[in-house]
Amino acid sequence: MKKLLLLAFLTLPCAAPAQSQTVNFTTEEYAPFNYRDGKVIKGATVEQVEKVMADIGVDYTIEMMPWARAYSLAQSRPMTCVFATAHNGLRDPLFKWIEPLLVDRNILITRKGSGVVASDLEASKKYTVGTQREDYTEMVLRQKGFTKLDIASDFNATLRKLLGGRIDMMPISELYFEKLKADQPVEMVTMLSSQPMGIACHKDFPSELQVRMQTALDKLISNGIQKEIFFKYGLDLGD
């Protein structure tokens, strides 16, 4: 009997402790929010994710890839989250959210000397606007009636097209524009949208872990560390 009980015990499935789970983050190259510095992935949103995960003591990985793949993996691969993701009505039911990593306004910009003139979104629709596949700005542009869209694989490809005169305008974070215009011949055309940006996790992501991550991010915001991180990367969130 003892041998039978021992055998039964040994054949029981072993449940891995929750703490052994690893959260897999995906993101894109979009400095100064998320970018590579040699082999190191860093940036203003990366640093927030790192601090959140350190606070709750859960293992994690961060992978950088084109946005469309990063976004897709967070929908199809368990324990995967993509950041920084714009939170809107269409995306809301697709993920579990931890936010905000920032509240951002998005503007349309053009290359200086391009001849583009548009005082509002309606006037902008006659121009070719570039963006990235599966980026929320593609959705925003289509919803607002833009039809002359050029879709690239990532942000840097779109920026190269703009600077090379292959597209007329592109949407960009207003925060990033303040840094970009110091190095590149670009100028603002008009406002496009405003939205919270957060961490979007797979629909089956553990709710208990989501709550712990949200609590850690809330603390990061309330104690002023989030704002310090943005200042560190030359970004002014304002009051």
Side-chain angles (χ1 to χ4, degrees):
M1 179 63 73
K2 289 183 178 179
K3 288 183 178 180
L4 288 175
L5 289 174
L6 178 61
L7 180 61
F9 176 78
L10 291 175
T11 56
L12 286 174
C14 294
Q19 289 299 325
S20 68
Q21 292 179 312
T22 298
V23 179
N24 305 298
F25 291 100
T26 62
T27 190
E28 65 175 334
E29 180 90 24
Y30 189 24
F33 301 103
N34 0 276
Y35 63 96
R36 285 191 182 92
D37 185 2
K39 294 184 178 181
V40 179
I41 296 176
K42 60 193 304 186
T45 54
V46 172
E47 194 162 321
Q48 290 183 66
V49 168
E50 291 172 338
K51 289 185 180 299
V52 164
M53 300 311 289
D55 188 7
I56 66 174
V58 174
D59 291 336
Y60 66 96
T61 64
I62 299 178
E63 297 178 83
M64 186 166 283
M65 59 192 71
W67 179 255
R69 180 164 178 257
Y71 184 78
S72 176
L73 284 176
Q75 294 182 80
S76 61
R77 192 170 69 181
M79 294 301 294
T80 300
C81 306
V82 58
F83 72 93
T85 311
H87 191 172
N88 55 37
L90 289 176
R91 284 179 171 177
D92 181 73
L94 302 179
F95 301 99
K96 288 185 176 177
W97 297 87
I98 297 99
E99 61 185 358
L101 293 176
L102 70 147
V103 177
D104 192 24
R105 298 201 305 171
N106 218 274
I107 62 176
L108 290 173
I109 65 169
T110 189
R111 186 186 77 261
K112 285 185 177 179
S114 67
V116 170
V117 178
S119 58
D120 54 30
L121 290 182
E122 194 60 37
S124 301
K125 294 177 183 177
K126 64 182 178 182
Y127 295 105
T128 299
V129 181
T131 188
Q132 301 74 251
R133 186 172 293 106
E134 296 297 334
D135 189 84
Y136 80 98
T137 55
E138 179 186 0
M139 184 190 309
V140 170
L141 289 163
R142 294 190 190 280
Q143 287 177 336
K144 292 183 180 294
F146 285 79
T147 57
K148 300 176 69 175
L149 299 181
D150 180 282
I151 310 299
S153 61
D154 57 44
F155 172 84
N156 288 329
T158 301
L159 181 58
R160 287 193 296 270
K161 289 183 179 183
L162 182 75
L163 297 176
R166 295 164 58 192
I167 57 176
D168 300 311
M169 291 186 291
M170 68 177 289
I172 189 172
S173 160
E174 187 176 40
L175 289 170
Y176 184 37
F177 173 68
E178 293 303 316
K179 287 182 65 70
L180 183 67
K181 68 182 183 181
D183 302 314
Q184 301 290 351
V186 293
E187 58 188 5
M188 177 178 171
V189 179
T190 189
M191 184 65 59
L192 178 62
S193 64
S194 177
Q195 59 284 311
M197 309 288 288
I199 302 168
C201 298
H202 189 275
K203 285 180 68 174
D204 295 332
F205 194 78
S207 295
E208 178 268 343
L209 186 51
Q210 175 194 12
V211 170
R212 292 171 61 200
M213 290 169 65
Q214 184 65 63
T215 300
L217 179 60
D218 290 344
K219 185 168 67 175
L220 200 71
I221 295 169
S222 65
N223 64 18
I225 293 178
Q226 185 188 67
K227 196 165 188 176
E228 290 176 4
I229 291 171
F230 275 90
F231 283 144
K232 173 182 174 180
Y233 288 91
L235 300 166
D236 186 357
L237 287 174
D239 297 326

